[in-house]
Amino acid sequence: MFDLSLYSVVLLVHIASAIVLVGSALFAPLTRHAILRASTVDRVLDWLDFLRRSARANPPAAMVLLASGLYLGSEGWWSQPWFYVALGAWVANFSLATFAVKPSVIALARAAAGAGSGPVGAEIDRLRRSRRWEVAEGLMRGNDLAMMYVMFVKPSAAESLVVVAAAGLGCLAIEWALARRVTRVETPVLAS
């Protein structure tokens, strides 16, 4: 009745870990924009805590995605060019998360924790508007969405690269537009 092979179980685990990462990538802008709109240090800290808790599953999910992807690659995907584009996107997201997003969030959290209560000051405002954080998250979201297409369609290397580039640029444009909208609509209260 059930035909559960190791391959099908690993594929299910692979898809489940991708869902965790894509879901987090799609939800992250809401949290970041709440951080941008926060008028007090306490609210910034609350949203940073929410971000930390909601992203807790991302590192294990990323490792499971990589491990299951490598297994699936050994079952025949290694011969397909899209597989290497997907692997490159995983490495890019790992690098962006490790060297851009995480340091930006840590710097903001440290500054906010050291600022005490009250309105958001100029330094915290500068850190929460980090261009590095904004670009990295946009590129990661683009990679995640592109990988969904690539995993299901399994296109040529050229098509895979075009999809990755288009998704990255599209997500950067959306991120930029939303960040500018938050800046225009809700000007933060700045302490001297």
Side-chain angles (χ1 to χ4, degrees):
M1 179 173 191
F2 292 103
D3 183 22
L4 273 179
S5 64
L6 179 59
Y7 178 88
S8 61
V9 170
V10 172
L11 180 60
L12 180 61
V13 167
H14 187 72
I15 292 169
S17 60
I19 289 169
V20 168
L21 293 171
V22 171
S24 179
L26 293 175
F27 192 68
L30 300 174
T31 306
R32 181 152 190 274
H33 293 297
I35 291 168
L36 288 171
R37 288 189 307 269
S39 59
T40 67
V41 174
D42 289 334
R43 291 303 293 156
V44 169
L45 287 169
D46 288 344
W47 281 112
L48 285 170
D49 184 55
F50 178 79
L51 177 64
R52 180 188 56 78
R53 287 182 287 119
S54 64
R56 190 177 291 158
N58 289 357
M63 292 302 133
V64 169
L65 184 76
L66 177 63
S68 59
L70 291 174
Y71 170 80
L72 294 168
S74 73
E75 292 292 312
W77 290 359
W78 284 346
S79 63
Q80 299 181 31
W82 64 266
F83 179 80
Y84 296 98
V85 175
L87 185 58
W90 187 94
V91 170
N93 277 8
F94 176 81
S95 299
L96 289 165
T98 303
F99 301 112
V101 174
K102 186 176 180 179
S104 297
V105 172
I106 289 172
L108 175 58
R110 283 186 180 148
S117 301
V120 169
E123 178 64 10
I124 292 171
D125 189 54
R126 183 188 66 76
L127 289 169
R128 72 180 172 177
R129 295 181 189 285
S130 165
R131 186 87 167 126
R132 181 175 165 193
W133 182 5
E134 178 183 326
V135 169
E137 273 197 355
L139 289 174
M140 290 173 66
R141 195 167 8 274
N143 281 342
D144 285 345
L145 294 173
M147 287 311 98
M148 295 303 286
Y149 175 86
V150 168
M151 284 191 312
F152 288 113
V153 176
K154 298 176 179 31
S156 68
E159 184 178 342
S160 297
L161 290 169
V162 167
V163 168
V164 168
L169 290 173
C171 285
L172 280 176
I174 291 168
E175 185 71 26
W176 182 82
L178 290 174
R180 296 315 164 269
R181 182 172 179 266
V182 168
T183 301
R184 279 198 325 264
V185 172
E186 301 183 38
T187 305
V189 176
L190 297 177
S192 312

